[in-house]
Amino acid sequence: MTPRQSSGRRLVPAYLATGGRARPSRNTLDRLTLLHGVGMPITSEVRPEEHRILELLQPGALSLAEVAAHLHLPVSVVKVLVADLVDAGRLHARAPIPEAEQFDRHILERVLDGLRSLKS
């Protein structure tokens, strides 16, 4: 966990967690991107914030926004950290499942009419 003062302010600025980088190595990550670990052991080469992300994902998948909320870090910072973990092969990231598209009512009515004509 990132150290905090009693006032709730962060002792270390969030951008230091990313080594000062502001942009992730991939632009495919979204707040709703689902993340899950690959089951690799957590080694000492993993930075503390990345270690916490991997620990959070051990029980199962979470969205990028949920991970950011658990870590009390901005989503933009977590995107950079997650991109690094995906690049290292320690995480899988999957785009959210899109909402189902609405069916055309006219087509459904024609199918229903066709099925009714087969019945009679």
Side-chain angles (χ1 to χ4, degrees), residues 7 11 66 90 92 102 119:
S7 66
L11 293 175
E66 289 172 311
R90 295 185 174 279
H92 287 299
Q102 295 286 329
K119 186 178 176 184

Side-chain angles (χ1 to χ4, degrees), residues 22-98:
R23 299 196 190 281
S25 61
R26 54 188 64 231
N27 63 357
T28 57
L29 299 173
D30 181 73
R31 292 184 337 254
L32 299 177
T33 298
L34 296 177
L35 308 171
H36 58 92
V38 296
M40 289 177 66
I42 302 172
T43 60
S44 60
E45 66 192 31
V46 176
R47 296 184 300 223
E49 293 81 8
E50 294 174 339
H51 188 277
R52 183 71 180 120
I53 290 171
L54 295 171
E55 284 180 340
L56 281 170
L57 297 173
Q58 283 179 346
L62 291 173
S63 71
L64 194 139
E66 289 172 311
V67 170
H70 282 291
L71 294 178
H72 305 287
L73 287 172
V75 170
S76 59
V77 170
V78 175
K79 280 184 183 181
V80 174
L81 297 171
V82 164
D84 291 347
L85 289 168
V86 170
D87 292 344
R90 295 185 174 279
L91 276 185
H92 287 299
R94 182 176 62 80
I97 299 170

